[in-house]
Amino acid sequence: MATSSQSIQLDIAVAGLGRMGKRHVRSLIQRVSRALVVAVCSTSAEELDWAKENYKNAGIKVYDSYEKMIQHPGLQAVWVSTSTNVHASQTFAAIEKGLHVLCEKPLSTDQNEAKRVVDMANSHPELKVMAGFSRRFDASYRDAKAKVENGAIGAPFIVRSQTCDLVDNTGFFVRYAKLNGGMFVDCCIHDIDLSLWFLGDVKPKAVWAAGTISHHPESKELNDVDNGVGIVEYWGGKIAYFYCSRTQAHGHDVCTEIVGTTGKVMVNVVPRLNNVTIAQTAGITHAVQPEYWERFEDAFATEANEFTSAILDNAPVPVKLELGLMSLKIGWALQEALLTGERIRFDEEGNQLDGEKARL
């Protein structure tokens, strides 16, 4: 009897065992029945010790380098969940090895490097290489997208979107920021992607940005901020407004509004941990998710399942790698506008006309 594709498992490895990598491993094990985690890697001694202890009965091989891990016998796919500065090189190496890849956002801290990896992926159509824009897999955002496409708000022309993290007093944010490209390249990249998703095939016309440092003075040494606001004017009369923060007091606050000619769609404008509300003499309150995982855990699981299915069923990936190029271009332009105080303009094809590419 022929074996059903539904009974075949994908041998996958996870690169990086920081806060994202560990959770991706758990999600793959617990929520993706068609995937089998066979290997992980890290260069951190602490993370390696943790993995050896926690995965010793899970049949997962722990490697101390990415290069060793992608040589794992029978490996078919890699989930790149390391710091942004090595996303591109690790994705490129996996493609060279003949492996399918799911790469976390953003693809690179360098636009030319990102383009090189996209060209490499496109030269290997037999491989599934996917961009990790997880909000496109969130049930609420997908519902909002369907409503916009069905004409619920007429023609969309403005997107307001924000990513605001709970304030971190441990020093993690500063260490993280050194390797991940800056406020608009890292924190804002999902919001930029959502604006492109909801507004359609649009090209940037001009960008502006401003920012401030309210909690993390170390950000100044990194030529960065811990709170930033950016505006993108797209050709065709469409606009996106972004607010990104690492200093929220109440929890993880991610929301998006899509304004159309006949209405507006809102996603998570008032963030909540669950449906519990407390009414007291001081007023009515509810809890908020402390960080992104509580808000998007289901989206990450959906993303992993759809990536796995694309490979095993030989179907197109839901988010092609090249979709991240325009988001990255806009993110760097916003970062440059932040640093220079200048407006950055683009031609109608989306090519930057002003300034130099930002480098932090």
Side-chain angles (χ1 to χ4, degrees):
M1 180 181 294
T3 303
S4 167
S5 65
Q6 292 293 321
S7 66
I8 299 173
Q9 283 190 307
L10 175 74
D11 285 1
I12 188 170
V14 175
L17 291 171
R19 59 176 186 166
M20 286 288 289
K22 291 173 183 175
R23 288 162 167 171
H24 288 329
V25 172
R26 186 177 68 207
S27 184
L28 285 164
I29 291 172
Q30 297 178 353
R31 304 187 63 175
V32 187
S33 61
R34 303 181 73 192
L36 180 65
V37 182
V38 297
V40 296
C41 73
S42 175
T43 57
S44 162
E46 181 180 353
E47 291 174 2
L48 289 169
D49 289 342
W50 181 92
K52 289 172 183 176
E53 176 62 27
N54 285 271
Y55 300 148
K56 61 184 178 182
N57 297 319
I60 298 174
K61 176 71 173 177
V62 180
Y63 291 93
D64 61 6
S65 82
Y66 180 79
E67 293 72 23
K68 293 176 184 176
M69 187 189 74
I70 62 174
Q71 303 294 327
H72 185 87
L75 184 65
Q76 296 170 282
V78 175
W79 194 334
V80 176
S81 186
T82 45
S83 56
T84 302
N85 62 319
V86 295
H87 281 178
S89 61
Q90 291 183 343
T91 299
F92 195 95
I95 296 170
E96 280 192 316
K97 184 63 178 172
L99 300 173
H100 307 284
V101 188
L102 170 52
C103 180
E104 285 295 340
K105 63 78 193 170
L107 176 56
S108 176
T109 55
D110 181 273
Q111 292 182 53
N112 292 327
E113 183 183 45
K115 180 63 166 59
R116 177 171 167 261
V117 177
V118 167
D119 289 342
M120 178 68 164
N122 289 338
S123 71
H124 288 273
E126 76 280 8
L127 297 177
K128 309 299 181 182
V129 186
M130 182 168 130
F133 285 103
S134 54
R135 290 184 201 175
R136 292 192 182 214
F137 298 88
D138 175 69
S140 294
Y141 277 109
R142 284 187 164 182
D143 186 29
K145 174 68 171 174
K147 286 178 168 54
V148 171
E149 289 186 336
N150 290 334
I153 61 169
F157 64 94
I158 290 179
V159 168
R160 185 191 73 82
S161 195
Q162 69 179 47
T163 296
C164 299
D165 292 329
L166 180 68
V167 65
D168 167 61
N169 294 313
T170 68
F172 170 82
F173 161 66
V174 175
R175 296 191 300 271
Y176 173 86
K178 290 180 180 180
L179 302 174
N180 290 281
M183 178 62 75
F184 291 106
V185 175
D186 177 64
C187 187
C188 190
I189 203 75
H190 282 299
D191 303 291
I192 298 170
D193 176 63
L194 287 173
S195 75
L196 297 171
W197 195 37
F198 283 110
L199 294 177
D201 185 20
V202 289
K203 298 290 192 299
K205 182 178 181 180
V207 308
W208 301 260
T212 189
I213 298 172
S214 65
H215 283 70
H216 303 291
E218 303 91 339
S219 299
K220 185 175 182 180
E221 299 175 7
L222 303 175
N223 288 329
D224 205 5
V225 295
D226 57 19
N227 283 265
V229 172
I231 296 175
V232 181
E233 178 187 10
Y234 290 108
W235 289 97
K238 298 181 180 182
I239 299 172
Y241 158 73
F242 309 120
Y243 170 46
C244 296
S245 172
R246 303 288 194 183
T247 66
Q248 296 299 290
H250 58 286
H252 187 65
D253 192 345
V254 169
C255 71
T256 302
E257 295 178 290
I258 306 98
V259 181
T261 53
T262 62
K264 179 169 69 170
V265 174
M266 296 168 281
V267 179
N268 201 46
V269 172
V270 180
R272 320 177 57 98
L273 177 63
N274 52 35
N275 293 320
V276 175
T277 299
I278 300 175
Q280 299 173 310
T281 55
I284 298 176
T285 62
H286 62 265
V288 176
Q289 296 108 335
E291 59 173 299
Y292 71 94
W293 189 257
E294 285 80 4
R295 170 66 182 87
F296 293 109
E297 181 178 1
D298 289 345
F300 284 117
T302 300
E303 178 183 46
N305 274 287
E306 293 189 13
F307 174 63
T308 300
S309 294
I311 296 168
L312 296 179
D313 300 335
N314 193 26
V317 293
V319 184
K320 293 182 178 180
L321 195 66
E322 57 260 37
L323 288 177
L325 288 178
M326 183 56 75
S327 295
L328 188 62
K329 180 183 289 189
I330 293 170
W332 274 119
L334 285 165
Q335 199 73 25
E336 186 170 0
L338 170 70
L339 298 179
T340 64
E342 301 294 329
R343 180 182 69 158
I344 306 297
R345 298 174 303 149
F346 296 80
D347 65 21
E348 293 188 44
E349 298 301 316
N351 300 306
Q352 186 171 323
L353 298 175
D354 299 309
E356 298 293 331
K357 293 173 183 170
R359 291 291 182 271
L360 298 183

